[in-house]
Amino acid sequence: MAISPITIRILLGLLYGCVSVVITCGNLLVIISITYFKQLHTATNSLVLSLAVADLLVGIVICPFSMAQTESSCWYYESLLCKVKISFDIALNNSSILHLCCISVDRYYAVCQPLRYKTKINVDVATIMILVSWSVSIMTGIGVMIAGFQKKKCVGSCPVHIQIISTFVSTASFYFPASVMLSIYLKIFQVAQKQAHSIQNTVSQSTKSGVTVSKMERKATKTLATVMGVFLTCWTPFFLCITFQPVSNYAIPVSVIETFSWLGRSNSMLNPFVYAFFYSWFRSAFRMIISGKIFQGDFANSKLH
C-alpha cells in the first residue's frame, strides 16, 4: 500500500521536530552546566559553551525553517525567505564546524604540549578563537545571501545554485576544517600512544601496569575515533553532494540533498553527547540539572566528580 505524500510530510515533520527538541535540550544542558558550575569555568569549556550556543541556534532557528519546507509546495531561489534561510543555515552550521576545529586545537596543546598548554590556551586565546569562528561564519552567510540565486524557479527547497559559491562554501565550511581536525587528532593519537608506551617502559612491568596502559590506549582510540567518526559521518555526504551537484548538471534530487543536510544538522544533536558525556563532571552536572537539585540551593561551587 502506497504512502500518501501528506502522510510522508507528517512523518518527516515529526522526525524533524524530535531532532530539533533533542538538539535544543541537549545543548541547553551544556550551556546551563558551564554557566552555573564554577568548576566548569575554564578556557576549554568556553569553547564548548560557544559551540553549544551555535548548536542551540541550529535547533531553534534552522530546524523550524527546514520543517516549514516539508509543508511548503514551492520555494523560490530569489525569495527573501529562501535567502535568509540559506544565510542562517550556512552561518550557524559553519560556526559549529569551526568551533569543533578550535576544540581540536585546544586538545592538541593539552595532550601534545601539556607544559605549554596554560600559556598557549587561556581565556584570551579562547575568546579570539570564538570571535574568529563566529565572524567568519557570519560573513560567509551574509556573502551567500548578497550573492543571491540565479534561477527564479519554483522548487521544493532553496539550494545554493551557484557553482563558485558551492565550491567556496564546501571548502571553507568543511574540507579545510575537516583536514585540520583529522591531522590534529591523528597527531594527538600518536602522542597518546607514545605516552602510554613511555609509562609502560618506566613503571614496573606488573600486570596492573599493563592493564592501565592498555586502558589508556583504548580510551584514546575510542575518544578520537568517536569525535572524527561522528563529524565525518554527519557532514561528508552533504558536502560531497553540493560539491558534485554543479558538475552533475544538478542531477542529484533535492530530496537527497535535504536528507543529507538533516544528517549534517544531527551533528549539533550529537555534540553534547560526544564532548560532554565523555567527562564525568558533565554527567554529574546534567544529573543535578535534570533532577532539579540546583533549584533547591546554591550548588555553584559543588565539586563535580
Side-chain angles (χ1 to χ4, degrees):
M1 181 177 179
I3 302 176
S4 66
I6 295 178
T7 302
I8 293 176
R9 287 184 180 181
I10 292 174
L11 292 175
L12 286 176
L14 290 173
L15 175 61
Y16 295 160
C18 290
V19 171
S20 179
V21 169
V22 175
I23 290 175
T24 303
C25 293
N27 287 287
L28 272 177
L29 279 175
V30 176
I31 293 170
I32 295 171
S33 297
I34 296 175
T35 304
Y36 182 79
F37 295 101
K38 293 184 179 180
Q39 181 181 337
L40 301 181
H41 293 181
T42 64
T44 301
N45 286 338
S46 64
L47 290 170
V48 177
L49 175 63
S50 186
L51 168 65
V53 171
D55 289 336
L56 176 68
L57 291 174
V58 170
I60 63 178
V61 176
I62 299 303
C63 290
F65 259 120
S66 298
M67 286 171 62
Q69 285 182 212
T70 64
E71 303 300 327
S72 175
S73 60
C74 183
W75 284 59
Y76 286 90
Y77 293 156
E78 295 278 347
S79 72
L80 177 61
L81 184 61
C82 188
K83 289 184 178 182
V84 171
K85 187 265 180 184
I86 286 290
S87 180
F88 272 95
D89 207 343
I90 290 174
L92 293 177
N93 287 318
N94 194 30
S95 178
S96 180
I97 293 172
L98 290 179
H99 276 87
L100 293 176
C101 191
C102 290
I103 290 173
S104 70
V105 174
D106 172 86
R107 292 299 84 204
Y108 169 80
Y109 281 104
V111 176
C112 301
Q113 299 185 29
L115 298 179
R116 302 175 60 192
Y117 175 68
K118 288 188 177 180
T119 58
K120 287 291 184 179
I121 306 294
N122 50 45
V123 175
D124 291 337
V125 173
T127 301
I128 292 173
M129 287 182 173
I130 291 169
L131 290 175
V132 170
S133 297
W134 280 106
S135 299
V136 171
S137 302
I138 291 172
M139 287 190 293
T140 302
I142 293 175
V144 171
M145 184 171 66
I146 292 175
F149 302 89
Q150 286 184 335
K151 297 183 179 180
K152 292 184 178 180
K153 178 182 177 182
C154 176
V155 293
S157 182
C158 50
V160 180
H161 207 81
I162 304 175
Q163 291 188 25
I164 296 177
I165 287 184
S166 295
T167 303
F168 170 75
V169 170
S170 298
T171 302
S173 300
F174 178 73
Y175 294 119
F176 177 71
S179 299
V180 171
M181 289 173 62
L182 186 59
S183 300
I184 289 175
Y185 281 128
L186 284 175
K187 179 64 176 178
I188 291 174
F189 177 64
Q190 292 173 353
V191 171
Q193 279 192 318
K194 289 181 180 179
Q195 290 175 347
H197 288 302
S198 176
I199 293 173
Q200 191 174 34
N201 292 330
T202 55
V203 179
S204 175
Q205 299 298 308
S206 63
T207 303
K208 184 177 180 180
S209 174
V211 171
T212 301
V213 173
S214 178
K215 286 183 178 179
M216 289 174 62
E217 290 186 358
R218 285 201 301 270
K219 184 175 182 180
T221 302
K222 183 179 179 180
T223 303
L224 299 180
T226 302
V227 168
M228 285 307 303
V230 169
F231 173 74
L232 293 176
T233 299
C234 289
W235 281 114
T236 300
F238 172 72
F239 281 103
L240 285 178
C241 275
I242 65 172
T243 299
F244 290 103
Q245 179 75 319
V247 179
S248 65
N249 196 27
Y250 305 95
I252 302 174
V254 171
S255 59
V256 172
I257 296 178
E258 186 62 22
T259 299
F260 285 147
S261 72
W262 272 97
L263 178 62
R265 293 184 195 109
S266 69
N267 190 226
S268 295
M269 176 179 68
L270 297 173
N271 281 337
F273 298 93
V274 175
Y275 287 95
F277 284 17
F278 267 115
Y279 303 100
S280 60
W281 50 84
F282 270 111
R283 292 194 295 271
S284 297
F286 291 169
R287 282 194 295 267
M288 293 179 69
I289 295 170
I290 294 173
S291 66
K293 186 176 180 179
I294 63 171
F295 301 108
Q296 301 171 9
D298 185 6
F299 295 94
N301 294 307
S302 299
K303 184 68 175 177
L304 302 173
H305 301 287

